[in-house]
Amino acid sequence: MDEGNHSAVSEFVLLGLGLSWNIQVLSFVISLIFYLMILSGNIFIIILIVTDLLLHSPMYFLLANLSFVDICLSTVTTPKMIADFISEKKTISFGGCMSQILFTHFTGAGEMVLLVVMAYDRYVAICKPLHYSTIMNLRKCIGLVAVSWNIGFVHGISQMIVIMKLPFCGYREIDSFFCDIPLVTKLACTDSDKLDTIINIDCGLVAVTCFIVLLISYTYILVTVLQTSNNAASKALSTCTAHIIVVLILFVPCIFIYVWPLNIIWLDKFLAVFYTVFTPLLNPMIYTLRNKEMKNAVKRFKSYYIDSKENI
């Protein structure tokens, strides 16, 4: 292929569902409701943690950051996906596609590292309670969050640079709802097998390393919890269970998309939507429904900001 053909592709076509108009309208309504729930749920958690003084602790500081990352992760792809459901021209520019790849991997990898930080916080709180306030001070928390963002950025930018160097020509249809690396590399007019392997190793280095560290951390924490008194064990177990559920719903789709791809189109689409829509949607529910302190904070918020206004 000559260089002119390499630069011929200026946009990609997102096939999405490719079904009847009625199904696309239904998907539009459902996706819009889910996205509004993601925004409202995660914003509410951030507001709750900021306004409630009893939640001004390292664990909830990290939880507020997780909610912010979830908002960013879903906003990278979901608004475009929602708009495409009722649009006749389901295209995305080359720059828009590269931006989706960059920010999806930026926020995704950042969230994985942030979950490791949250596991470290629980480890210190449960295994070294007397030193907790000294170790997990505000400066340390901000530094650890900054590390998670930096690792996410380096991972995201490395993925985008590799993809931007590929020669694209002719075929430009992406059989998904948004741009992602495994699908975009298939459109390159060059053998991408070696590149796919390198990308899988890069993604696997982040995802698998974080996953293994989290498994070891929570296993050690749970063993420690079972050796403590019943009351302390019950509270710690509830908190750790919520964290473990979040870890599973984030990492399992990522592993099957990037590390161990199954190459089943309908399953890849489902996992992509689950990763970018359902994970940010479920996180607020899991943390509020399974956390006693969060439920009490919701009651205090309702009592102060809602019930008090009704009495005026």
Side-chain angles (χ1 to χ4, degrees), residues 270-289:
F270 170 77
L271 291 174
V273 172
F274 190 93
Y275 169 58
T276 57
V277 177
F278 286 99
T279 299
L281 177 66
L282 292 173
N283 281 356
M285 299 180 185
I286 292 169
Y287 280 110
T288 52
L289 294 177

Side-chain angles (χ1 to χ4, degrees), residues 23-33 81-83 85-86:
I23 294 178
Q24 302 231 36
V25 171
L26 178 63
S27 300
F28 165 80
V29 173
I30 294 173
S31 299
L32 180 60
I33 292 172
M81 180 181 71
I82 293 171
F85 281 133
I86 55 172

